[in-house]
Amino acid sequence: QVQLQESGPGLVKPSETLSLTCTVSGGSISSGSYYWSWIRQPAGKGLEWIGRIYTSGSTNYNPSLKSRVTISLDTSKNQFSLKLSSVTAADTAVYYCANVYSNFYYYMDVWGKGTTVTVSS
Amino acid sequence: DIVLTQSPGTLSLSPGDRATLSCRASQTISYNYLAWYQQKPGQAPRLLIYGASSRATGIPDRFSGSASGTDFTLTISRLEPEDFAVYYCQQYGSSPMYSFGQGTKLEIK
C-alpha cells in the first residue's frame, strides 16, 4: 500500500522560498500510471491544485502559480519536492502531496496527511 | 477555465437519511475525469468515486455517483454517523489541469 509523507519547515518568512518534500513508501515513484502532485488548502477553505510531475520529469503547473512554482523528482530517494518562491501570507495553507492516477481515469488516489506552512515574519 | 459548482453549500440531515450532493461543470467534461472526495476535520481528503460512478477501493456501497450531461451527483443512500464531512468534486482536463468544487458540508441535523 503506497503511503506519502510531507516534510519541511512549518514557518517561512515573506518573500522567501517555501520548500517541501514528499517521501513515497510502499511503491515506486517511477510507476508509469501515476503522476505526483501537490495540492494546498488554506484554513477553512477549499482545495487548490498546485502542479504535478511525471516519472520522466515532465511537469504541469496551475497557471495561477506557475511563475513561482518548481516541482522536481528524486527517484533515487523515492521523493518529489515543491518549491514556491516569493511567498506571502496568502500562501499559508496545509500542503498535501498525492499520487494521481492518470490512465483513462484521472484522480488523486493516495494523499499524504498534509503539512501546515505558515508565512509570517 | 472549467468551473465546478457544488450545491448545496451545507446539507443538514440525520443519520439514516439519504443525501444527494450536486456538482455542476461550466462546460462539458468527460465522465472519466470526474472524481469525488470526502474530507473530515484535520484529515486529508479521501477518494470516494472516480470516473463519475466507480467506487474507490474500500468505499461502502452506500456511496454512489452518477452523471447526466454537465451535472454530477454523489448519493449516500443511508447516512452513517461517520459520513458527516465535507465533500469535494474534482475535474481533470482544462486549465487549470485539475480543479475542485468549493465543497458541500454535510452536517448532522
Side-chain angles (χ1 to χ4, degrees):
Chain A
Q1 176 72 4
V2 172
Q3 293 184 316
L4 289 78
Q5 178 67 58
E6 305 88 351
S7 59
L11 181 63
V12 181
K13 289 182 168 54
S15 80
E16 295 190 344
T17 296
L18 178 161
S19 296
L20 296 175
T21 296
C22 182
T23 301
V24 179
S25 59
S28 173
I29 205 167
S30 299
S31 170
S33 294
Y34 286 93
Y35 283 77
W36 304 90
S37 253
W38 288 95
I39 303 104
R40 69 180 184 179
Q41 184 175 37
K45 296 188 177 181
L47 299 159
E48 179 181 33
W49 175 72
I50 298 171
R52 71 174 190 179
I53 188 165
Y54 191 55
T55 184
S56 64
S58 68
T59 54
N60 301 97
Y61 300 128
N62 190 322
S64 67
L65 298 168
K66 186 175 182 178
S67 64
R68 299 193 291 130
V69 173
T70 302
I71 297 177
S72 58
L73 200 64
D74 187 338
T75 54
S76 67
K77 295 182 179 178
N78 229 30
Q79 294 176 335
F80 63 107
S81 298
L82 168 70
K83 291 188 184 300
L84 181 65
S85 64
S86 305
V87 297
T88 69
D91 296 309
T92 294
V94 176
Y95 285 76
Y96 297 101
C97 58
N99 68 348
V100 187
Y101 187 80
S102 302
N103 186 357
F104 189 69
Y105 299 108
Y106 294 78
Y107 53 84
M108 287 145 198
D109 191 9
V110 178
W111 297 62
K113 293 183 178 181
T115 187
T116 299
V117 178
T118 301
V119 178
S120 175
S121 56
Chain B
D1 294 5
I2 292 181
V3 176
L4 298 178
T5 302
Q6 291 188 241
S7 60
T10 302
L11 186 57
S12 300
L13 294 171
S14 300
D17 287 348
R18 180 184 184 90
T20 303
L21 287 68
S22 174
C23 174
R24 174 168 289 177
S26 60
Q27 302 174 37
T28 299
I29 61 174
S30 171
Y31 291 177
N32 294 346
Y33 298 167
L34 195 287
W36 288 93
Y37 303 84
Q38 176 193 67
Q39 187 178 34
K40 297 180 180 180
Q43 296 185 18
R46 177 176 72 144
L47 176 69
L48 295 176
I49 300 287
Y50 64 92
S53 61
S54 297
R55 270 188 305 276
T57 302
I59 301 303
D61 61 7
R62 64 180 181 273
F63 290 89
S64 63
S66 63
S68 176
T70 58
D71 292 329
F72 299 86
T73 302
L74 175 69
T75 301
I76 310 171
S77 60
R78 194 164 48 246
L79 286 167
E80 298 286 344
E82 62 268 25
D83 298 336
F84 293 91
V86 178
Y87 292 83
Y88 294 95
C89 57
Q90 170 252 312
Q91 68 90 28
Y92 162 82
S94 186
S95 178
M97 190 166 282
Y98 301 89
S99 61
F100 296 86
Q102 81 278 19
T104 289
K105 182 179 181 181
L106 180 54
E107 65 176 23
I108 299 177
K109 188 174 182 179

